[in-house]
Amino acid sequence: MSEQSPSKERVTKAFRGSLLALGTMVATFGVLEVPGHVARNWDDRETDSLAADSGELLAYERLLVDADPSLWGEVVATHRLQVLDRLPDLETLVVLVAPEARQALAADPRVRTLSADLDFEIAGACCGSGDARLDPAAFERARAELAEAYGALRSLPQRREVLLAVLDTGIEASHPDLRNHDAGRSFVPGERWDHDANGHGTAMASLAAGGGHDPDEHHEDHEGHEDEAIQSLGVAPSARILPVQVADRRGRARASQVAAGITWAADQGADVILIALGSREPSQVVVNAVSYAEERGALIVAAAGNENTHTERYPAADPRVISVGALDRDGSLAYTTAFAPTTELLAPGTSQLAAALKGRYAHVTGTSAAAARSAGLLALVKATRPRTTPQALRGIVRGARRAHLQGDLARAFPAGPLEVSALCEVLEQPAAQVRLSAARVLPTHARAGTPLFLTVRVQNTGLKSSAADTLRIRIGEAVLEVEAPALAPGAEVTLRARTQAVAPGSIQFALGQARETCELQAQSGERYRDRAIASLRSEGRRLIASLEGRGATPAGGGLV
């Protein structure tokens, strides 16, 4: 280590002394529990790095330790960890670790995995304090749109009250549109679940399940004007709202907070969990929390993200989560929505009238709003068919949605809006509904006698189990038969077969009433059998891809 000047050495010693004094103080007042060094109410976003004015950097990392809970005490004592939180259901410790201790902690055989406590944030800004004096016609339009979009589903018999958890910034519990809430919980140190300082959680709760209030009460909002015409703005006003604060007043959260919120909501019996926030990277502790919720019958609905990309944020990209992108009011894809192969649904997400802070209302836009609408819709489905599992709910969604794109693009990006009429038909007449999709032949171009590999996906998008059956694949005059197993509601399986090419043409797949096709193309000297990008180079504003394949290639092999 390089030598320090006397003045820098004094600063370093003073800084260390301050840290020691701070540790003593927080221990005295119960912020730290000793032994075990358990930190309470620690918010380290502003102090991720603690540094002296010297060459030494005391940069403590907030990490997640996956280990058997029976070994936690030993691990903490061995590495002198500061414990910020314990997630026993997920067998995870949230700790602060000094840089020099990380390597030893990661190498400890008692530690299964060591990972960062990733940052999450809400999917876009929200409405703040809103506008207390919106044109009354706006409320009429909003209620008319809700009635038109969801009226048929609302009219079905609801057999049980549904609990819809909203993992967000909390709610304004005194808002007249949110009287149908249960007691919630905050996982943000120093903040209350019933005092939303951001507004995002309040808006999401009202869009999903805002219960409104009795117009005969002539309630006056905080600004003194009567809002007697205002009733419910939520898709599922009969549901109970469970507020779970995992994000702070700035809309930021940690993976550990999101995971803790998911597991707590599942333990409270939540049927649907709305998560309108995300991270750019997957977090294993959140993945485990999704599994925990799934095992307890909770379906998670998440916003895809407000970035115009073909990649989603997590947990939306988790295949067990219903990921929702946004549509404009004219039904076109919203410019600011993520739209990926993992996106399940598209829903209205532009200028949606929602509850705002101080008892007011405002228009909100984004995939958060779309996810909230979809969570409310799935709460209605659950109320109609209470025994429907999360897997079956996902199957119903895939069977009742209308692909936004067409042709090959729809195969890659299957998301689309739900057809409520088709959904109602499934709910009113429960039955198995077998669908075929994603039929493929490889290679796509072949000569006679070339070995072929065929695949097709079989899904049961109904509410009853399907019976075992035989898949028939017709290639020219030949017919292949493959046994298809019985499938539970929402289950799917990929069936495979091998054969040889006879002639180019359509390959037909049939399973009961379900049909699907794919095309086998003739191989010639001007076609690739299998194609791949070998290299990329730029020339000015042009990007040139060089292709290579196992079949014959055109002269030059370049695509501009």
Side-chain angles (χ1 to χ4, degrees), residues 272-555:
V272 179
I273 300 175
L274 169 62
I275 304 178
L277 46 82
S279 169
R280 295 179 185 275
E281 303 174 54
S283 168
Q284 188 59 50
V285 73
V286 175
V287 170
N288 295 343
V290 171
S291 299
Y292 185 92
E294 173 105 353
E295 292 168 0
R296 285 153 184 78
L299 177 70
I300 297 178
V301 181
N306 292 338
E307 297 171 335
N308 187 357
T309 66
H310 292 314
T311 56
E312 292 181 327
R313 294 204 165 201
Y314 292 87
D318 189 304
R320 297 162 300 172
V321 173
I322 297 291
S323 169
V324 187
L327 293 172
D328 279 334
R329 299 188 70 83
D330 62 1
S332 61
L333 195 66
Y335 177 74
T336 56
T337 184
F339 188 53
T342 50
T343 309
E344 293 276 10
L345 287 180
L346 298 175
T350 302
S351 297
Q352 300 293 299
L353 189 59
L357 302 182
K358 300 182 180 178
R360 301 178 179 183
Y361 295 83
H363 287 95
V364 297
T365 293
T367 56
S368 293
R373 290 298 196 203
S374 299
L377 184 150
L378 288 164
L380 290 176
V381 173
K382 187 73 174 180
T384 303
R385 295 288 174 183
R387 295 184 179 180
T388 308
T389 65
Q391 176 179 267
L393 283 171
R394 289 192 295 271
I396 291 172
V397 164
R398 290 163 185 164
R401 70 188 174 195
R402 182 187 74 252
H404 184 73
L405 301 176
Q406 302 298 320
D408 289 341
L409 284 176
R411 295 175 184 239
F413 301 92
L418 274 179
E419 294 280 9
V420 173
S421 59
L423 190 58
C424 290
E425 182 178 343
V426 172
L427 297 175
E428 291 181 298
Q429 301 176 357
Q433 293 194 1
V434 176
R435 295 166 59 92
L436 298 178
S437 63
R440 296 187 63 190
V441 56
L442 291 174
T444 57
H445 298 74
R447 296 188 179 97
T450 301
L452 299 179
F453 185 59
L454 307 170
T455 63
V456 67
R457 183 181 302 139
V458 184
Q459 299 171 296
N460 180 8
T461 60
L463 286 175
K464 298 287 186 179
S465 294
S466 66
D469 203 345
T470 301
L471 171 72
R472 290 176 172 81
I473 308 172
R474 180 176 293 276
I475 307 176
E477 298 300 321
V479 176
L480 301 176
E481 293 188 347
V482 180
E483 293 303 312
L487 294 176
E492 63 179 56
V493 64
T494 298
L495 299 182
R496 299 171 173 85
R498 292 179 182 274
T499 187
Q500 288 186 343
V502 178
S506 176
I507 300 176
Q508 301 172 353
F509 298 76
L511 180 62
Q513 301 299 314
R515 299 289 186 271
E516 177 74 332
T517 63
C518 64
E519 294 292 325
L520 176 64
Q521 304 291 333
Q523 181 181 333
S524 70
E526 294 302 317
R527 288 190 178 274
Y528 293 94
R529 184 163 64 185
D530 294 306
R531 289 168 283 187
I533 295 177
S535 63
L536 288 171
R537 71 179 189 275
S538 60
E539 292 184 0
R541 294 189 174 184
R542 296 193 305 167
L543 186 64
I544 299 178
S546 295
L547 305 180
E548 63 180 16
R550 291 187 296 175
T553 61

Side-chain angles (χ1 to χ4, degrees), residues 141-303:
R141 287 194 299 272
R143 287 200 300 275
E145 289 172 357
L146 285 173
E148 180 180 359
Y150 309 107
L153 191 55
R154 285 175 169 179
S155 67
L156 296 181
Q158 296 188 15
R159 296 175 171 83
R160 178 170 70 79
E161 188 175 61
V162 169
L163 186 61
L164 194 158
V166 180
L167 270 66
D168 215 286
T169 58
I171 66 167
E172 184 174 276
S174 61
H175 198 288
D177 202 47
L178 300 179
R179 295 184 180 181
N180 56 325
H181 72 268
D182 287 354
R185 181 174 175 180
S186 175
F187 290 90
V188 179
E191 297 192 23
R192 293 167 42 186
W193 65 266
D194 58 348
H195 186 70
D196 183 3
N198 180 282
H200 194 268
T202 296
M204 296 307 106
S206 74
L207 287 170
H213 58 276
D214 187 346
D216 294 330
E217 292 180 16
H218 298 282
H219 174 82
E220 293 188 356
D221 72 5
H222 296 196
E223 296 296 318
H225 83 283
E226 291 186 355
D227 60 352
E228 57 186 306
I230 303 172
Q231 290 176 286
S232 169
L233 294 176
V235 174
S238 59
R240 300 292 302 175
I241 298 170
L242 181 64
V244 187
Q245 185 182 8
V246 296
D248 62 21
R249 63 183 61 240
R250 296 170 295 177
R252 298 179 183 176
R254 293 282 191 173
S256 58
Q257 293 170 310
V258 175
I262 292 172
T263 55
W264 184 80
D267 287 341
Q268 306 314 301
D271 297 288
V272 179
I273 300 175
L274 169 62
I275 304 178
L277 46 82
S279 169
R280 295 179 185 275
E281 303 174 54
S283 168
Q284 188 59 50
V285 73
V286 175
V287 170
N288 295 343
V290 171
S291 299
Y292 185 92
E294 173 105 353
E295 292 168 0
R296 285 153 184 78
L299 177 70
I300 297 178
V301 181

